Amino acid sequence: MTRFEVLILGNSSATPMYGRHPTSQVLNFNEQFFLIDCGEGTQMQLLRYGIKGSRISHIFISHLHGDHYLGLVGLLSSQHLVGRQSELHLYGPSALKEILDLQFKHSDTRLRYPLIFHPTNAYRQEVIFENTQLQVTSFPLQHRIACTGFRFDEKPRSASLKKEEVERLNIPVPYRRLLKRGIDYVADDGTVYSAKDLTYAPPQPRSYAYCSDTVMNADYLGAIRGVDLLYHEATFLHDRIERAKETFHTTSLEAAQVAQAVNAKKLLLGHFSARYKDLQPLLDESRTIFPHTELSEEGKWFLV
Amino acid sequence: MTRFEVLILGNSSATPMYGRHPTSQVLNFNEQFFLIDCGEGTQMQLLRYGIKGSRISHIFISHLHGDHYLGLVGLLSSQHLVGRQSELHLYGPSALKEILDLQFKHSDTRLRYPLIFHPTNAYRQEVIFENTQLQVTSFPLQHRIACTGFRFDEKPRSASLKKEEVERLNIPVPYRRLLKRGIDYVADDGTVYSAKDLTYAPPQPRSYAYCSDTVMNADYLGAIRGVDLLYHEATFLHDRIERAKETFHTTSLEAAQVAQAVNAKKLLLGHFSARYKDLQPLLDESRTIFPHTELSEEGKWFLV
């Protein structure tokens, strides 16, 4: 099965405490590496967990609060210094480009590799990246400033042939490709060979959704419906629901409600407030509603 | 004796490796805390070594290469979030203000405490801070972009009275203050009581100089002459002198030559290239010329 998993580099909200780090994650999809948010210290966390920066081809930044992007200039500069030559694609709010340009101007840095910037739109859902295997969609969240989530969808794969059967029936080679796409083969004598009988169904396409910072609302549920793994911020316990609303954040109970509402298979909580040294209560609270919850522990890989 | 010591938070050059961090130091002078440079991760390093950000009253940034200031926005933002109210004075290149303003604008952050910015001048030496006990001077270094070093000078203190002697001789109180300032007391009968005999000499004022990133040249030697503790970058071993010159850096041998030339009491090496996992050769090289050399180990306090 194609590798599809996410490594947590940081699970803290804006004031990092107890050795926790600001938000960042690495998604490995079939040995393509995608960085999702890039809080301060991300380049050191990548080193700690043995991920070479040079393997990252795409970076997605949800919004311009510092705890989600302040590690970016350091990472981009280090990639420059270690001689990166391959393209790096960066997705984020348009002002991010302005911030990077200003910092590179004053450090007199001209990157030696192509950094290709793709502005995101925080006001409508759109496909921002696509290749033969994967599609990435950004969608609006509701935070204090413009903010997007990201959804990573594996593309449907074709069925695989039951080779021995196909050989035995002597089905002509050009029709085998059609069988894999679900099209029955009709022989010259009129016999119908069902694609269903001659193929193994492909694995269900998997999906991962990342909801960085947001108040809970119904608007983004459509964008994350049916995901296998849902990362959702859970800054506070529900006894601080008022504080969560004030600061445009979510409680762990609400994160569980979201996971339930969109019929996610599994929920990953993160973006923990400095208020909580012990995170178990956040996990327990979420599990009262949505048992398949995990804490996004730093350094841990989670399968999608 | 008044406390005067420096804690190393980061000793790495621009690409942090082997668990080392970008440049930052905390100077504790009589329980006033000064932060010198603020590379990425500084706020986490402060937490690790038990220094509360709220205790820092002044921050000095040498130049706008990312490894010397990328931790600043995170630190300033966290201070805001934890409710700091006291003034924070920031010294650095004028463009730093522009960078901070842009980042705070896009994160919609209005700091709740007064951040007072003092632009430094990279082209001439000047006193940038002064109180009754300490004076800080910035001075030009020669790097790829505008860069300053900082020198921290304890102010001379007055002598202390030999109390018993002064009492025994019944020297009038108003004259005792003069004695401390070195002025002899002449009694009504013409007898001269020497200030020297009636006081203990004050301790020698101490000084710390910080030379962040620079090629070695004669221009800055005057500014750091006679310091007790000299921090000097030593990015490379001397076999890479050509690379050091190209990148406007110094070798450990050159750092030792500087320490010797200015008659420093002790030398602290830092800003180590990612090329060196083992730092001992840098120390050994410096000690061939200047025996009182130490490596700036992260987490270690050094007395000035």
Side-chain angles (χ1 to χ4, degrees):
Chain A
M1 187 115 99
T2 305
R3 194 181 284 257
F4 194 3
E5 57 190 24
V6 64
L7 170 68
I8 306 303
L9 298 177
N11 62 16
S12 173
S13 64
T15 47
M17 287 286 280
Y18 320 118
R20 303 198 292 248
H21 294 76
T23 301
S24 186
Q25 310 184 347
V26 178
L27 192 75
N28 177 350
F29 179 82
N30 197 21
E31 303 307 318
Q32 297 167 73
F33 287 76
F34 301 89
L35 189 72
I36 309 171
D37 277 344
C38 185
E40 183 179 353
T42 294
Q43 61 171 328
M44 277 86 92
Q45 291 292 85
L46 286 169
L47 285 165
R48 172 178 296 173
Y49 299 119
I51 309 287
K52 287 199 171 176
S54 58
R55 301 200 65 180
I56 294 167
S57 55
H58 296 73
I59 301 178
F60 300 89
I61 301 294
S62 64
H63 67 300
L64 294 182
H65 280 153
D67 55 321
H68 293 259
Y69 85 93
L70 288 179
L72 192 56
V73 173
L75 177 63
L76 298 179
S77 301
S78 291
Q79 283 295 294
H80 164 76
L81 290 170
V82 300
R84 181 188 182 111
Q85 305 209 326
S86 60
E87 282 181 3
L88 184 53
H89 291 266
L90 175 63
Y91 300 78
S94 59
L96 180 57
K97 179 76 165 51
E98 190 189 342
I99 291 169
L100 296 181
D101 285 347
L102 185 67
Q103 294 191 269
F104 286 139
K105 179 182 119 186
H106 289 301
S107 63
D108 193 23
T109 303
R110 278 166 295 270
L111 296 179
R112 273 185 222 110
Y113 59 90
L115 177 68
I116 298 148
F117 183 72
H118 308 266
T120 51
N121 186 330
Y123 303 100
R124 63 186 176 84
Q125 183 173 332
E126 55 186 18
V127 174
I128 55 175
F129 168 81
E130 197 166 9
N131 65 17
T132 56
Q133 299 184 300
L134 188 76
Q135 174 177 296
V136 185
T137 309
S138 70
F139 54 90
L141 293 172
Q142 190 187 349
H143 195 43
R144 198 162 59 76
I145 58 172
C147 184
T148 65
F150 300 105
R151 176 176 175 143
F152 298 79
D153 280 287
E154 185 177 33
K155 288 195 172 171
R157 290 199 282 172
S158 49
S160 52
L161 291 176
K162 293 182 177 171
K163 274 204 181 150
E164 282 186 19
E165 282 287 283
V166 169
E167 294 285 352
R168 196 179 54 76
L169 297 169
N170 215 1
I171 292 172
V173 171
Y175 289 94
R176 296 182 187 179
R177 221 176 317 146
L178 298 176
L179 283 174
K180 292 208 279 185
R181 289 163 55 193
I183 298 166
D184 297 341
Y185 171 62
V186 185
D188 292 347
D189 64 4
T191 315
V192 174
Y193 296 93
S194 151
K196 222 171 197 171
D197 295 342
L198 293 175
T199 57
Y200 299 106
Q204 274 295 315
R206 292 159 295 171
S207 53
Y208 175 61
Y210 172 80
C211 298
S212 54
D213 282 18
T214 189
V215 285
M216 179 188 173
N217 73 29
D219 296 343
Y220 64 90
L221 300 187
I224 61 175
R225 202 165 296 287
V227 292
D228 293 86
L229 181 61
L230 171 64
Y231 166 88
H232 201 289
E233 71 124 305
T235 309
F236 299 104
L237 282 170
H238 203 67
D239 61 1
R240 303 222 162 244
I241 177 68
E242 287 313 315
R243 181 79 187 134
K245 282 182 179 164
E246 268 167 42
T247 55
F248 292 85
H249 285 300
T250 316
T251 69
S252 52
L253 197 79
E254 289 177 314
Q257 288 173 328
V258 169
Q260 193 181 43
V262 303
N263 203 20
K265 288 218 181 69
K266 196 170 173 182
L267 171 64
L268 206 50
L269 302 178
H271 201 265
F272 307 119
S273 164
R275 173 178 302 278
Y276 309 110
K277 184 169 184 184
D278 177 15
L279 303 172
Q280 188 65 35
L282 290 135
L283 182 61
D284 293 344
E285 181 174 276
S286 177
R287 284 182 173 170
T288 61
I289 290 188
F290 194 83
H292 295 298
T293 307
E294 300 284 347
L295 296 171
S296 61
E297 251 177 76
E298 293 186 7
K300 199 165 165 185
W301 285 97
F302 294 88
L303 295 180
V304 175
Chain B
M1 187 115 97
T2 305
R3 196 180 284 256
F4 195 2
E5 56 190 24
V6 64
L7 169 68
I8 305 303
L9 298 176
N11 62 16
S12 172
S13 64
T15 48
M17 289 285 280
Y18 320 118
R20 302 199 292 249
H21 294 76
T23 302
S24 186
Q25 309 185 349
V26 177
L27 191 75
N28 176 350
F29 179 81
N30 198 19
E31 302 307 317
Q32 298 168 71
F33 287 75
F34 303 88
L35 188 71
I36 310 171
D37 277 344
C38 186
E40 182 177 355
T42 293
Q43 61 172 329
M44 279 87 93
Q45 290 292 85
L46 286 168
L47 285 164
R48 172 176 297 173
Y49 299 118
I51 308 288
K52 288 199 173 173
S54 59
R55 302 201 64 179
I56 293 168
S57 55
H58 296 73
I59 300 178
F60 300 89
I61 302 294
S62 64
H63 67 300
L64 294 181
H65 280 152
D67 55 322
H68 293 258
Y69 86 94
L70 289 178
L72 192 57
V73 173
L75 177 64
L76 299 178
S77 301
S78 291
Q79 283 296 293
H80 165 76
L81 290 169
V82 301
R84 180 189 184 109
Q85 304 208 327
S86 60
E87 282 182 2
L88 185 53
H89 292 265
L90 175 62
Y91 301 78
S94 58
L96 180 57
K97 179 75 166 50
E98 189 189 344
I99 291 169
L100 296 180
D101 286 346
L102 184 67
Q103 294 191 266
F104 287 138
K105 179 183 120 187
H106 289 302
S107 64
D108 193 24
T109 303
R110 277 165 296 270
L111 296 179
R112 274 187 222 108
Y113 59 91
L115 177 67
I116 298 147
F117 184 72
H118 308 266
T120 49
N121 185 331
Y123 303 100
R124 63 186 177 84
Q125 183 172 334
E126 54 187 17
V127 173
I128 55 174
F129 168 81
E130 196 166 9
N131 65 17
T132 56
Q133 300 184 298
L134 188 75
Q135 172 178 298
V136 185
T137 309
S138 71
F139 55 89
L141 293 172
Q142 189 187 350
H143 195 41
R144 196 161 60 75
I145 58 172
C147 184
T148 64
F150 300 106
R151 177 176 175 143
F152 298 79
D153 282 286
E154 186 178 31
K155 287 193 174 172
R157 289 199 283 172
S158 49
S160 52
L161 290 178
K162 292 180 176 171
K163 274 201 182 152
E164 282 186 19
E165 282 288 283
V166 168
E167 294 286 353
R168 194 178 56 76
L169 296 171
N170 214 4
I171 291 172
V173 172
Y175 290 95
R176 295 182 188 181
R177 222 177 315 146
L178 298 177
L179 283 174
K180 291 208 278 186
R181 289 164 52 196
I183 298 167
D184 297 342
Y185 170 61
V186 184
D188 291 347
D189 65 0
T191 315
V192 175
Y193 297 92
S194 152
K196 222 171 197 167
D197 295 342
L198 293 175
T199 56
Y200 300 106
Q204 274 295 315
R206 292 158 295 171
S207 53
Y208 175 61
Y210 172 80
C211 297
S212 54
D213 283 18
T214 189
V215 287
M216 178 189 172
N217 72 29
D219 296 343
Y220 64 91
L221 300 187
I224 61 176
R225 202 165 296 287
V227 292
D228 293 271
L229 181 61
L230 170 65
Y231 167 87
H232 200 289
E233 71 125 305
T235 309
F236 299 104
L237 282 170
H238 204 67
D239 61 2
R240 303 222 161 243
I241 177 68
E242 287 313 315
R243 181 79 187 134
K245 284 183 178 164
E246 267 168 42
T247 55
F248 292 85
H249 285 302
T250 315
T251 68
S252 53
L253 197 79
E254 288 177 314
Q257 288 171 330
V258 169
Q260 192 181 44
V262 303
N263 204 17
K265 288 218 180 69
K266 197 169 172 181
L267 171 64
L268 206 51
L269 302 179
H271 201 267
F272 306 120
S273 164
R275 174 178 303 278
Y276 308 109
K277 184 169 185 183
D278 177 14
L279 303 173
Q280 188 65 36
L282 290 134
L283 182 61
D284 293 344
E285 181 173 277
S286 177
R287 284 182 172 170
T288 60
I289 290 188
F290 194 82
H292 296 297
T293 307
E294 299 286 345
L295 296 171
S296 61
E297 253 176 75
E298 294 185 8
K300 198 165 166 184
W301 285 98
F302 294 88
L303 295 178
V304 174

